[in-house]
Amino acid sequence: MLILGLSAFYHDSAACLVRDGRIVAAAQEERFSRVKHDSSFPRHAVGACLEIAGCSIDDLDHVVFYEKPFLKFERLLETYLRRAPRGFGSYRKVVPLWIKDKLWMKQSIQQQLNYKGDVLFSEHHESHAAAAFFPSPFRSAAILTVDGVGEWTTTAYGRGRDNDLTLNWEVQFPHSLGLLYTAFTYYLGFKVNSDEYKVMGLAPYGQPVYQKQIEERLIKLNEDGSFTLNLDCFDYETGFTMTSESFDRLFGGPPRKPAEPLNQKHKDLAASIQKVIEQVMLRLSRRVLTETGEDRLCLGGGVALNCVANGRILREAGFRDIWIQPAAGDAGGAVGAALAVYHRLLGQPRETDGLSDAMQGGYLGPRFGKEDVRRVLDGAGAQYEELPEDELIRRTCRELESGAVVGWFQGRMEFGPRALGNRSILADPRRPDMQRKLNLRIKFRESFRPFAPSVLEERQPEFFESDHPSAYMLLVAPVSASQRGCIPAVTHVDGSARIQTVNEQQNGRYYRLIRTFANMTGCPLLVNTSFNVRNEPIVCAPRDAYNCFMRTNMDVLVIEDFFLTKKGQTWERP
Ligand SMILES: [Fe+2]
């Protein structure tokens, strides 16, 4: 039974292939097209998934899209009608596009894939919920999904048990926690649906001095855990911007322009909205706990990528355990939609051992064989050495210890926004100058952006106030007070870190690399940041990695068994 799940046409298009209930491949279109957050039809991603599974379009039993276009269109029309005549300019732009293209989704998908069978449609939040629960390690759990918006729903909760789930409570558009956060992303001069991470990273530099103002003027929290936004302050319903003039008045000026410097007010605003999101998410989670009676929680939807809020839910909401879908945003909708068809529509059983999840460490994308890599490197005129694993790891660790920045490319590409040791840039976390060096000389991005550690799972408690595994880098926890000075490159200004725990079963070579570094230096962690530069997607193929290596000040590149130093290259950028 082969099911293809698709998400597309909003942001982060992706494809996922499920065979007999097991996820065999998943990838985001941006990695192949090299357009960040690519929202076009994921034809490269589909091609890659089929190739990984060794099958063709004709082998597919079902194709499913992650949301329902007609319901979404209904929401658009109703919103325009309710707000008319306001929003006519946007109406004139948006509606014809829908009539021309998006309402013909079924035919368009069939045509793009050259697929003759029927196309199924799952609801947006059902896709998020299925992606959050079905791959989780839990037999039964509460489910909470929070995002910007799908069709109508922006927040939902319910329960999952075995091969079924139900969502029985929701908040509808235009009241949306995701859009509230995105409105601040916009107001702070960052890119919407893309730079929400920057707001989270900026927050610890500020004080939540506007928290009260936001809670009093922008969002009303209701008794049942739901919330209502003050729509006068937002323009996303029918306009071209996220915030309105009332919003500007409330915070004393227009939005920051991207080129303007970040001042204390911007930092305080980031801190304030972050605190509000944490409060609302905590409140909702507690509500979900009492309403469902389930002591385990599955989280999905784009807001579940807010790792600071996740860390607080884990520590404070009262659940025995939580699991977060690593591709919690819309890309993961492709996974959820495919699994929902298998379990809910076809009634196929779901098996779980109660311990491990079904995302396979997130390593669901393509891999490149040794000879493929060799061909690329030879073609580029690269100078390299081929080394056995022991030697490869020892050499890499020696370079890291001496301050080198290493591009590390191994095995299958990660699915989801984080690099988890297969398409990563690595460095020594003990160096005080490393955060600055990585931001400015390697990633070419804002100097305030924090970096995250990969730590040997069994040694996490020595360094962080958490013993909960965090394989997908989706939980933030405090760095132990005694260690804060020791690992400055991964300790944020508020003393926290966004942790990835690594064990040997999940990623053998990466685990052995960190263990060797620990044996050499006593430090069982590395800085792990995604293998890309500002405004580019994470690298996918060896060619992308080599180009990125040559364009930046990266010192060493390791692709599979091949070891390259920048000094060893005889010529500069291609
Ligand atoms: Fe979503």
Side-chain angles (χ1 to χ4, degrees), residues 124 128 147 330:
H124 191 105
H128 279 317
D147 73 352
D330 283 0

Side-chain angles (χ1 to χ4, degrees), residues 442-454:
I442 310 289
K443 309 260 301 191
F444 307 123
R445 66 183 202 184
E446 301 90 337
S447 60
F448 72 84
R449 306 276 305 274
F451 287 99
S454 294

Side-chain angles (χ1 to χ4, degrees), residues 379-399:
Q383 305 295 310
Y384 58 84
E385 289 173 78
E386 184 182 348
L387 302 173
E389 186 183 283
D390 278 8
E391 178 69 11
L392 187 84
I393 285 179
R394 256 200 314 275
R395 288 272 294 275
T396 307
C397 287
R398 274 205 296 270
E399 291 280 357

Side-chain angles (χ1 to χ4, degrees), residues 123-140:
E123 274 190 37
H124 191 105
H125 270 254
E126 187 194 338
S127 298
H128 279 317
F133 174 66
F134 290 137
S136 81
F138 311 137
R139 214 191 127 201
S140 78

Side-chain angles (χ1 to χ4, degrees), residues 44-343:
H44 299 97
V46 171
C49 288
L50 290 171
E51 199 181 319
I52 291 165
C55 56
S56 75
I57 290 286
D58 297 331
D59 299 322
L60 297 176
D61 294 288
H62 295 281
V63 172
V64 57
F65 190 69
Y66 83 128
E67 63 180 11
K68 295 192 168 176
F70 281 96
L71 272 180
K72 202 167 178 172
F73 188 58
E74 174 196 281
R75 190 249 299 163
L76 284 174
L77 283 185
E78 270 194 32
T79 306
Y80 283 124
L81 278 174
R82 193 160 40 79
R83 306 287 280 186
R86 194 173 146 179
F88 186 63
S90 148
Y91 173 91
R92 261 206 328 208
K93 272 205 150 168
V94 171
V95 170
L97 267 179
W98 272 83
I99 293 173
K100 187 168 157 278
D101 275 341
K102 296 194 181 178
L103 288 181
W104 305 97
M105 196 76 83
K106 184 172 162 179
Q107 291 79 352
S108 158
I109 291 171
Q110 286 170 324
Q111 211 174 27
Q112 300 252 24
L113 292 176
N114 197 13
Y115 173 72
K116 290 165 197 72
D118 199 12
V119 177
L120 304 166
F121 293 86
S122 165
E123 274 190 37
H124 191 105
H125 270 254
E126 187 194 338
S127 298
H128 279 317
F133 174 66
F134 290 137
S136 81
F138 311 137
R139 214 191 127 201
S140 78
I143 306 168
L144 174 61
T145 59
V146 188
D147 73 352
V149 63
E151 295 93 359
W152 281 100
T153 313
T154 69
T155 302
Y157 70 71
R159 299 173 63 171
R161 188 177 182 83
D162 295 324
N163 67 344
D164 201 10
L165 64 87
T166 43
L167 293 176
N168 40 26
W169 182 96
E170 65 172 21
V171 177
Q172 285 199 344
F173 183 86
H175 307 290
S176 160
L177 217 48
L179 291 174
L180 174 68
Y181 204 80
T182 298
F184 277 87
T185 306
Y186 168 83
Y187 189 73
L188 290 171
F190 300 124
K191 220 168 154 188
V192 305
N193 293 328
S194 166
D195 289 349
E196 280 70 13
Y197 260 103
K198 294 188 188 175
V199 180
M200 197 177 72
L202 189 62
Y205 293 94
Q207 293 299 322
V209 291
Y210 300 100
Q211 181 180 355
K212 223 166 159 235
Q213 211 165 329
I214 296 171
E215 285 169 352
E216 279 169 7
R217 304 288 300 277
L218 290 184
I219 183 167
K220 180 171 159 258
L221 301 177
N222 307 320
E223 266 307 297
D224 65 349
S226 68
F227 47 85
T228 317
L229 298 189
N230 173 6
L231 299 173
D232 284 346
C233 291
F234 303 94
D235 200 33
Y236 56 74
E237 269 192 291
T238 51
F240 292 108
T241 59
M242 289 300 297
T243 55
S244 72
E245 279 169 18
S246 311
F247 191 102
D248 298 356
R249 270 198 300 278
L250 191 58
F251 297 110
R256 169 183 165 262
K257 294 203 171 61
E260 278 173 39
L262 284 161
N263 59 31
Q264 195 55 43
K265 182 184 152 190
H266 301 129
K267 293 168 188 169
D268 292 342
L269 278 166
S272 307
I273 186 60
Q274 176 59 34
K275 271 283 167 300
V276 171
I277 293 292
E278 289 166 27
Q279 292 303 345
V280 182
M281 287 296 281
L282 261 177
R283 213 163 151 268
L284 261 168
S285 303
R286 290 188 180 121
R287 176 92 193 170
V288 172
L289 179 70
T290 41
E291 286 294 311
T292 63
E294 296 282 350
D295 59 3
R296 292 174 172 88
L297 175 68
C298 294
L299 276 169
V303 177
L305 295 172
N306 193 308
C307 344
V308 181
N310 295 345
R312 288 197 61 189
I313 292 171
L314 174 67
R315 290 188 297 275
E316 299 172 42
F319 284 96
R320 192 204 297 196
D321 204 353
I322 74 171
W323 189 82
I324 308 142
Q325 162 57 241
D330 283 0
V335 174
L339 290 174
V341 169
Y342 188 74
H343 294 302

